[in-house]
Amino acid sequence: MGDTLLALSIPLLVFAGGIYAGCENWWRRRHPAPPSPYTHQAARLAERETAEAAKEIVDEAYATLGAFYGAAGAPEPAEQRPTPAETLGAASAPGVPGVTPGAAASPGRGRSYPASAQRG
């Protein structure tokens, strides 16, 4: 008789554990725990720490490579800038002084120029 009870108690314990898990799952879905303020605070602190680390990295990189960017930041005065014809070459698009065919075909906000007709 003792062996029979022992053999029947194992499935009974498994069944009871399954019912308990199902009921606990149902209860937790209907009554969720409120969000912990510590998790939000930890996320804010980690974000602040990451931002400070990024600032340090950028400052260190700028200090190391700052000589490469010294003159690039200041814009040239208008008198010293080359004209588009000097920059792009002497050959200009037909009917448009100072604009090369490649510049005339490039997209932009201004009026586009018609392409020349090619037959052949």
Side-chain angles (χ1 to χ4, degrees):
M1 179 79 176
D3 293 337
T4 308
L5 286 176
L6 182 64
L8 291 177
S9 67
I10 294 172
L12 184 66
L13 285 173
V14 170
F15 182 71
I19 290 195
Y20 176 78
C23 291
E24 185 181 11
N25 189 15
W26 174 83
W27 178 261
R28 289 292 168 206
R29 284 180 183 233
R30 303 284 182 294
H31 303 90
S36 174
Y38 298 109
T39 57
H40 295 293
Q41 182 180 5
R44 282 193 304 267
L45 290 174
E47 181 181 343
R48 193 175 302 151
E49 229 175 83
T50 305
E52 288 175 8
K55 283 180 188 177
E56 288 176 13
I57 291 170
V58 169
D59 290 343
E60 190 175 311
Y62 186 75
T64 304
L65 303 172
F68 292 119
Y69 301 108
E76 286 184 46
E79 307 86 46
Q80 295 177 356
R81 287 188 201 145
T83 63
E86 292 172 352
T87 306
L88 298 173
S92 63
V96 184
V99 178
T100 64
S106 64
R109 293 185 181 265
R111 183 171 175 236
S112 62
Y113 300 102
S116 60
Q118 296 182 356
R119 296 190 181 159

